[in-house]
Amino acid sequence: MYENMITIDRASSESMQKQIRRQFAIAIINRNLPLHKPLPSIRKLAAELNVSLNTLILAYAALKQDGFIFSKDRSGYYINPNIYPEFGGFDKFPELISKKRENSFDFKRYFKNHTYDLPRITKPEDCLVRFKYPFICGLVDPDLFPIANWRECLRDSVNVVEVKNWAADFSNADDPMLIEQLIQRVLSKRGVMAHPSEVLITVGGQQALFIAIKMLLRRKGKLGVENPGYPDVANIALMESISVKPLPIDRYGLKITEQLLECKSIFVTPSHQFPSTVTMPLRRRKSLLKLSQNNDIFIIEDDHEAEISFNETPPPALKALDQYGNVIYTGSLSKSLLPGLRIGYIVADSEFIKEAKALRHHLIRHPAVNNQRSVALFLERGYFDRFLSRLTREYKYRSNIMSESLDHFLPQCSTPPSYGGGSFWVKLNKKIDTELLQQKCMPEGVYFEPGVSMFIDDIKNNYLRLGYSSIKSSLINEGISVLAKNVDQLLQ
Amino acid sequence: MYENMITIDRASSESMQKQIRRQFAIAIINRNLPLHKPLPSIRKLAAELNVSLNTLILAYAALKQDGFIFSKDRSGYYINPNIYPEFGGFDKFPELISKKRENSFDFKRYFKNHTYDLPRITKPEDCLVRFKYPFICGLVDPDLFPIANWRECLRDSVNVVEVKNWAADFSNADDPMLIEQLIQRVLSKRGVMAHPSEVLITVGGQQALFIAIKMLLRRKGKLGVENPGYPDVANIALMESISVKPLPIDRYGLKITEQLLECKSIFVTPSHQFPSTVTMPLRRRKSLLKLSQNNDIFIIEDDHEAEISFNETPPPALKALDQYGNVIYTGSLSKSLLPGLRIGYIVADSEFIKEAKALRHHLIRHPAVNNQRSVALFLERGYFDRFLSRLTREYKYRSNIMSESLDHFLPQCSTPPSYGGGSFWVKLNKKIDTELLQQKCMPEGVYFEPGVSMFIDDIKNNYLRLGYSSIKSSLINEGISVLAKNVDQLLQ
């Protein structure tokens, strides 16, 4: 192990002792060595590196004097934990760290004019534990997840036969069982009737969108996006040098206007428009289909949160009404299952899927095979359906509390009608800047998403997204009252 | 469920009965309905669709007469399994299938001039069971995998605390435990000393390569690739409109020539050159580094199969010798763990990794969180190291048999020296076309990869790759003798 970590350059002007000492120090600072295990004995390492015992004795002694290591009687040398920042150390050795970095290639400058670090919705990593009132969107309440059922599916997916299948690295390896279950239990509820050759598994909904956009658009064509809309889609277009055309929405979702004709493809979220949560009625869906089909415009349909619907079922997906094949349907189990599992899908014409599979091969080969099987079992055994109805029941309950609470504490705000999902899109007084409001609310334990990053142009600062998928129902009222108090303070 | 699957257009000239009948037939053909469960009762479905009982009675009767469904006394209507191809059916209803397809968008034509379906190494999906002598590359012998240990790690990764973590969908969610284990147990063996901020987890080695190439190259710069080399890298460049420069190799790997200076980045596999398996000596590694650093050329280093080394440890990775930061190191646990798990990684300057993470966010968000934790546990508990030494021992044994067998049965062929990995690169008589040879050998149970697709230009037809990671040692001699017999027949 050490013979590769420590490289001795016998032609160097630096002594071998110093080379060993410096490389050990860097390895320790970078945490490349286990903290509570003894370092190799002097005798053993000297043989491995083919240096004299004396060289190593001196190197270890210097490391000890510098505070990197200490010796325990008989059991040898150990790393001194006090050098690490969590034990108050690390600052002592800036010269060593900077030595490694001096004269190195300047990647920061290299990426400056073509960065992928585009503005996007980010949540603090510790948002679920840090905030008492987490009005966070897109996270599932872990307490609602049937962990025992999931564990059972995991266990059953790891039998000898299955492992033999994973050992293979098939570029076309979508689990037929998962495809079948998606068709029967997920897609059919949205009216989408798909043949197995028309479905592709992706790493979450994000990859489904990336593949669809990359395949449909070349540099010449424009991608139409809802405004406000999902910022990651505009970002993907930017990455791929595709221009974006913002399209207006109203309380029935994407408006059918002449502007649509300028687009080669249109990204749309008809079931619960992102972020406004409104549902496109059947009549408008048909108009959109007709217009797009008559003009050979592709539709990328993200059937966002359609599976979590209460009060009223949304109309069938655009894909369900599409006989022509210009609708590329993308979806994900992340919102309703666990986001961390990253299982998404594309439904489209089998020729499209064939190409998408070839593209996916070069991007990632295929999504992890074991997760495909575990999720397939979870669907097949009905656990998913049961979990979904539990989630829907709970979300409906929370949604009602949210609605009443907003009416009571923020009567001047307005929210569009919504038939499900897990969030509200709230419009506040024009004078309110919701990014400022967020800064004021966070120290009081309230977290929400300011709406500004969802606008492509015609940017408005007085919108916010309030998620209720992660907040306990008993805390909603209190959280909204804290939010309202801060709104009032900003208005004074 | 059915209200969305069956959409009734009351304005259509087609009768409601016929609409229901047609849509049910399509759903049944497409396997959208479970085979052994009763269809909804006439009364219930009529209410759901808001049509008269009589309409549904007629629709079901027609479906029954067409052979799609049959009735069981009292328990209702069921799908007739005899319509499916495995029961001899399906051909009866081409008009229904074609009806759905008529007048649909022609994706085949749309992708014709810009296809992602590029020539690549493909294995038959059933290659492990179909061939008696599977000289297949890149698959792990499932019988060697410690399935009990893996099951334990899976189980322990699914406790309540972990599931709470997965519920979050963090765009930066690389498992810190996996990063730490990779640094300590995998990278350190290659001499690579990395700080956690210098490591990114990817969906297999394939995604690591895609990200590295996309980030380093714009349309103006050339990507140098070894010739013969890994075809997927040239394919990614083609997809991203980057031109490729084939670079010659010899028995010490990539040759250091003036041609390298034409490249903005160079892809190289120094530890076991793909496909020739040769190892680049330390001296040449240093020359390559010096040349690339003096000319600001990026190196993408794929440390292909370095973890499975016998006879001799390969020299430290280029990344281990790189103080300048121009080496982007990519790797994967797929060759040594299970390919189906799709865990790969990039090691590079922390500014590079920051950008790579932003790009990854738009591609897939992040790799599945649960697999990251299971693999981290597998590494932490030492199961990976133990598995690796078992694998190495077994591969060494097989490699010796292979070598002796080739000497005996094909004395006129030549193979480069190799210190590990899982395959041989065999050069046959110039008159042999190995694609033809493959066609002759497959019916006799011998599978290998013809070498032609690994050449970028200066294409040679008389090379083949013989993998031994999946073939039982007791069958190697027999397999090689069958291969040799076919070679002799072609030469006559």
Side-chain angles (χ1 to χ4, degrees), chain B residues 244-291:
Chain B
V244 157
K245 167 102 192 144
L247 300 168
I249 62 162
D250 62 16
R251 59 187 304 243
Y252 303 113
L254 181 70
K255 280 169 83 171
I256 312 298
T257 64
E258 288 275 307
Q259 296 181 60
L260 271 60
L261 299 175
E262 293 172 40
C263 307
K264 178 76 198 156
S265 296
I266 294 167
F267 172 75
V268 64
T269 51
S271 293
H272 287 105
Q273 202 271 338
F274 182 99
S276 75
T277 78
V278 301
T279 300
M280 188 186 285
L282 186 60
R283 181 192 293 264
R284 190 179 282 189
R285 286 174 196 240
K286 285 184 172 168
S287 310
L288 177 60
L289 265 184
K290 201 170 166 186
L291 179 127

Side-chain angles (χ1 to χ4, degrees), chain B residues 90-103:
Chain B
F90 223 66
D91 294 338
K92 286 188 274 180
F93 314 102
E95 73 284 354
L96 257 166
I97 300 172
S98 65
K99 186 170 184 182
K100 201 195 153 198
R101 307 240 172 263
E102 91 193 359
N103 231 334

Side-chain angles (χ1 to χ4, degrees), chain A residues 4 32 105 110 115-116 151 154 158 170 183 189 191 214 216 230 240 324 340 355 365 369-371, chain B residues 4 32 105 110 115-116 125 151 158 183 189 191 193 214 216 230 240 324 340 355 365 369-371:
Chain A
N4 266 341
N32 289 324
F105 184 84
Y110 186 73
T115 178
Y116 294 107
R151 207 181 267 134
L154 258 189
V158 197
F170 302 129
I183 289 172
K189 284 188 194 144
K214 195 171 173 87
L216 293 176
Y230 186 50
E240 299 294 311
Y324 183 58
E355 273 293 328
R365 294 277 175 98
V369 176
N370 59 337
N371 275 351
Chain B
N4 266 340
N32 290 322
F105 185 84
Y110 186 73
T115 179
Y116 294 106
E125 297 209 359
R151 208 182 265 134
V158 198
I183 288 172
K189 283 188 197 145
M193 298 188 290
K214 193 171 174 86
L216 293 176
Y230 186 49
E240 299 294 310
Y324 183 57
E355 274 292 327
R365 295 276 175 99
V369 176
N370 59 337
N371 275 351

Side-chain angles (χ1 to χ4, degrees), chain A residues 1 4-5 23 27 30-34 37 100-101 103-105 107-108 110-111 114-117 120 125 139-140 142-143 147 150-151 154 158-160 163-164 166-170 172 183-185 188-191 193-195 198 203 206-207 210 214-216 218 230 232 235-236 239-240 264 296 298 313 316 323-325 338-342 349 351-352 355 358-359 361-366 368-371, chain B residues 1 4-5 7 23 27 30-34 37 100-101 103-105 107-108 110-111 114-117 120 125 139-140 142-143 145 147 150-151 154 158-160 163-164 166-170 172 183-185 188-191 193-195 198 203 206-207 210 214-216 218 230 232 235-236 239-240 264 296 298 316 323-325 338-342 349 351-352 355 358-359 361-366 368-371:
Chain A
M1 167 174 176
N4 266 341
M5 209 184 68
Q23 291 179 64
N30 286 348
R31 298 172 196 257
N32 289 324
L33 296 171
K37 283 183 188 161
K100 199 196 155 197
R101 306 240 173 264
N103 232 335
S104 72
F105 184 84
F107 279 104
K108 204 165 184 165
Y110 186 73
F111 290 123
H114 194 103
T115 178
Y116 294 107
D117 203 1
R120 54 185 191 263
E125 295 210 1
L139 300 188
V140 175
D143 291 341
I147 190 169
W150 173 249
R151 207 181 267 134
L154 258 189
V158 197
N159 57 45
V160 178
V163 170
K164 288 208 177 188
W166 309 347
D169 178 23
F170 302 129
N172 298 324
I183 289 172
Q184 288 189 10
R185 304 216 175 230
S188 67
K189 284 188 194 144
R190 302 295 306 122
M193 298 186 290
H195 187 266
E198 294 169 341
V203 180
Q206 186 69 29
Q207 192 181 38
F210 180 81
K214 195 171 173 87
M215 285 180 63
L216 293 176
R218 310 269 176 269
Y230 186 50
D232 277 9
N235 285 348
I236 291 172
M239 275 167 42
E240 299 294 311
K264 178 76 198 156
D296 264 347
F298 298 113
T313 310
Q323 296 292 314
Y324 183 58
L338 292 171
L341 292 176
R342 313 300 303 136
D349 185 276
E351 287 296 330
F352 182 96
E355 273 293 328
L359 172 56
H361 173 92
H362 292 104
L363 296 174
I364 60 155
R365 294 277 175 98
H366 56 77
V369 176
N370 59 337
N371 275 351
Chain B
M1 168 173 177
N4 266 340
M5 208 185 69
T7 325
Q23 291 178 64
N30 286 348
R31 299 174 195 254
N32 290 322
L33 296 172
K37 283 181 188 162
K100 201 195 153 198
R101 307 240 172 263
N103 231 334
S104 72
F105 185 84
F107 279 103
K108 204 163 184 168
Y110 186 73
F111 291 122
H114 195 101
T115 179
Y116 294 106
D117 203 3
R120 55 187 189 262
E125 297 209 359
L139 300 189
V140 176
D143 290 342
F145 187 70
I147 190 169
W150 173 248
R151 208 182 265 134
L154 258 190
V158 198
N159 56 45
V160 177
V163 169
K164 288 207 179 193
W166 309 347
D169 177 23
F170 303 128
N172 298 325
I183 288 172
Q184 288 188 10
R185 303 214 176 231
S188 67
K189 283 188 197 145
R190 301 296 305 123
M193 298 188 290
H195 187 267
E198 295 170 337
V203 180
Q206 186 68 29
Q207 193 181 36
F210 179 80
K214 193 171 174 86
M215 285 180 64
L216 293 176
R218 309 267 177 271
Y230 186 49
D232 277 10
N235 284 349
I236 292 172
M239 274 169 44
E240 299 294 310
K264 178 76 198 156
D296 265 347
F298 299 113
Q323 297 291 314
Y324 183 57
L338 291 171
L341 291 176
R342 310 303 301 139
D349 186 277
E351 287 296 330
F352 182 95
E355 274 292 327
L359 172 57
H361 173 92
H362 291 106
L363 295 175
I364 58 154
R365 295 276 175 99
H366 55 78
V369 176
N370 59 337
N371 275 351

